[in-house]
Amino acid sequence: MTEKTTLNVTGMSCGHCVKTIEDNVGKLDGVNSVQVNLEAGTVDVDFESNQVDVKKISDTIEDQGFDVA
């Protein structure tokens, strides 16, 4: 089932941060799209909940050195 979530992420400061998150989250099985809003400090993810969950997405972002609120 397709779901959408918006995560509040701190520690993002530049285009490289955006690319890092979009590339790494985008590689996860079941993730359809990832959109980072640097100014708002949010990450919008469209994903298949039967393949990946919000915790896995959050952990992937945190593994890149960012904090998910």
Side-chain angles (χ1 to χ4, degrees):
M1 178 165 49
T2 301
E3 287 189 34
K4 294 183 182 194
T5 189
T6 299
L7 302 169
N8 294 308
V9 179
T10 58
M12 301 185 298
S13 61
C14 62
H16 178 74
C17 300
V18 171
K19 183 164 176 29
T20 298
I21 291 173
E22 288 180 345
D23 287 352
N24 284 280
V25 173
K27 287 180 194 169
L28 294 173
D29 287 338
V31 172
N32 299 319
S33 68
V34 184
Q35 185 168 6
V36 176
N37 184 326
L38 190 58
E39 289 180 10
T42 60
V43 177
D44 295 321
V45 186
D46 184 326
F47 64 99
E48 301 299 327
S49 59
N50 60 336
Q51 292 180 292
V52 67
D53 60 15
V54 174
K55 177 163 178 19
K56 177 68 176 168
I57 294 166
S58 296
D59 288 348
T60 299
I61 293 170
E62 290 179 344
D63 287 347
Q64 306 312 309
F66 306 101
D67 293 317
V68 179

